[in-house]
């Protein structure tokens, strides 16, 4: 059984829900407290033992590549000014030479197509797939739990969480079979089931470990919903050949692809930080006391 050494990050999306902020800045580089969203996702992969980080990018995404590169002028300035803590922190986050690879998704044909674009960099190995819109908060990372389950099963792993059954029609939902090891056997997957037809209330939260056979399926995958190549459609075909297991993640997940989820993530991670949580709790409490409903205003774009 091959170890999971590589992770794919599809970062080619335009971030239209965040305009005008994302007109010049990739949505993955918007900051939650003091780190870009993409940094949280890469850190999660690194904690799970991932060694090679593969980014599927698009136009106007070069700043992501710059973020994970060495910035000699900045490092030298910090060293000269005696800012050793700041320098050490940046160096800890810095991938080693050769650990990052970047490839382009020249046309916006969906998540399945983005994954297929990474095929030459992944090769004939199992790989992790982390959607950068979704960031997690827990003592043990979601991907680390998944890698541990993969070591027990040697098969495809999908992370899931519980949702309100009334909201199941908004997500990709899995069917739950018998418990096995530290997970459960997945008996089926359905994308956005009709109300009342979902096989469970366990939704796919944006973390996967997939076998390389998925690339052969994606090669000939027809366009599905939204006129895009859907990863779920390819996984349904792969499920007929190989088992899929569910990893029931019980931490917090924030959808930073939406403004509401992004703001929620900023609040949650600020309160998670021991160096600023006291001040932030006071600020939030004061704002809640001072803001009356009649005073609240929205800013439409």
């Amino acid at each position: 059984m091959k170890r999971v050494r590589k992770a794919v990050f599809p970062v080619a999306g335009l971030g239209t829900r965040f305009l005008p902020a994302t007109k010049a800045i990739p949505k993955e580089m918007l900051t939650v407290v003091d780190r870009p969203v993409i940094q949280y996702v890469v850190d999660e992969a690194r904690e799970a033992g991932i060694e090679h980080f593969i980014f599927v990018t698009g136009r106007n995404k070069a700043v992501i590549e710059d973020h994970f590169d060495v910035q000699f002028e900045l490092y030298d300035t910090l060293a000269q000014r005696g800012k050793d803590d700041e320098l050490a922190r940046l160096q800890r986050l810095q991938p080693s030479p050769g650990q990052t690879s970047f490839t382009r998704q020249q046309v916006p044909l969906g998540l399945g197509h983005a994954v297929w674009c990474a095929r030459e960099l992944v090769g004939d190995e199992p790989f992790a797939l982390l959607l950068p819109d979704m960031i997690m908060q827990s003592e043990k990372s979601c991907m680390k739990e998944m890698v541990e389950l993969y070591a027990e099963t040697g098969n495809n792993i999908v992370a899931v969480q519980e949702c309100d059954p009334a909201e199941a029609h908004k997500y990709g939902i899995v069917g739950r079979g018998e418990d096995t090891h530290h997970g459960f056997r997945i008996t089926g997957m359905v994308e956005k089931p009709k109300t009342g037809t979902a096989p469970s209330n366990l939704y796919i939260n944006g973390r996967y470990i997939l076998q390389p056979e998925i690339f052969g399926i994606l090669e000939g995958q027809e366009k599905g919903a939204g006129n895009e190549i859907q990863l779920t459609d390819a996984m349904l075909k792969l499920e007929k050949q190989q088992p899929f297991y569910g990893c029931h993640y019980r931490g917090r997940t924030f959808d930073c692809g939406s403004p509401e989820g992004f703001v929620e993530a900023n609040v949650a991670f600020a309160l998670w930080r021991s160096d600023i949580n006291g001040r932030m709790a006071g600020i939030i409490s004061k704002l809640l006391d001072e803001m009356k409903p009649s005073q609240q205003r929205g800013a439409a774009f």
Side-chain angles (χ1 to χ4, degrees), residues 12-14 56-59 104-114 116-117 223 228-229:
L14 296 176
V56 182
T57 70
R59 287 180 290 277
R104 285 288 187 103
Q105 182 187 19
Q106 287 92 343
V107 287
L109 291 179
L111 176 59
H113 182 260
W116 180 76
C117 288
K223 294 180 181 178
E228 296 180 338
I229 298 173

Side-chain angles (χ1 to χ4, degrees), residues 79-258:
Q80 290 187 28
R81 294 180 180 178
K83 295 185 178 292
D84 298 332
D85 291 342
E86 291 85 349
L87 178 58
R89 184 184 180 198
L90 289 178
Q91 290 173 334
R92 284 196 302 270
L93 297 175
Q94 180 72 51
S96 300
Q99 274 195 308
T100 56
S101 296
F102 297 83
T103 188
R104 285 288 187 103
Q105 182 187 19
Q106 287 92 343
V107 287
L109 291 179
L111 176 59
H113 182 260
V115 172
W116 180 76
C117 288
R119 65 197 183 283
E120 297 294 340
L121 293 169
V122 172
D124 188 26
E125 297 185 37
F127 65 99
L129 171 64
L130 299 91
L131 303 193
D133 285 349
M134 314 299 285
I135 64 174
M136 316 299 203
Q137 187 184 69
S138 58
E139 293 297 335
K140 180 189 287 188
S141 77
C142 180
M143 184 52 63
K144 187 170 184 179
E145 289 187 20
M146 295 175 69
V147 167
E148 291 174 355
L149 180 57
Y150 172 80
E152 297 173 344
T153 65
N155 282 291
N156 303 281
I157 310 292
V158 177
V160 298
Q161 289 183 251
E162 295 177 357
C163 69
D164 183 337
E167 301 290 312
H169 65 281
K170 298 180 180 180
Y171 305 102
I173 302 294
V174 305
R176 177 164 190 157
E178 72 278 6
D179 291 341
T180 177
H181 303 284
H182 290 90
F184 62 91
R185 184 72 178 265
I186 290 178
T187 58
M189 291 176 276
V190 57
E191 188 67 29
K192 297 181 179 179
K194 292 182 180 180
T195 302
T197 65
S200 74
N201 69 329
L202 296 174
Y203 75 95
I204 300 171
N205 70 5
R207 299 292 186 269
Y208 313 78
I209 294 176
L210 299 172
Q211 295 294 328
E213 287 78 10
I214 194 76
F215 294 122
I217 296 173
L218 289 169
E219 178 84 34
Q221 180 68 43
E222 297 179 354
K223 294 180 181 178
N227 201 33
E228 296 180 338
I229 298 173
Q230 298 292 337
L231 179 65
T232 303
D233 293 341
M235 290 197 301
L236 286 170
K237 292 181 180 179
L238 184 60
E239 183 191 20
K240 296 177 181 179
Q241 307 169 18
Q242 300 175 354
F244 273 73
Y245 291 88
C247 179
H248 192 171
Y249 176 64
R250 292 177 172 81
R252 299 185 184 93
T253 298
F254 305 97
D255 181 4
C256 290
S258 71

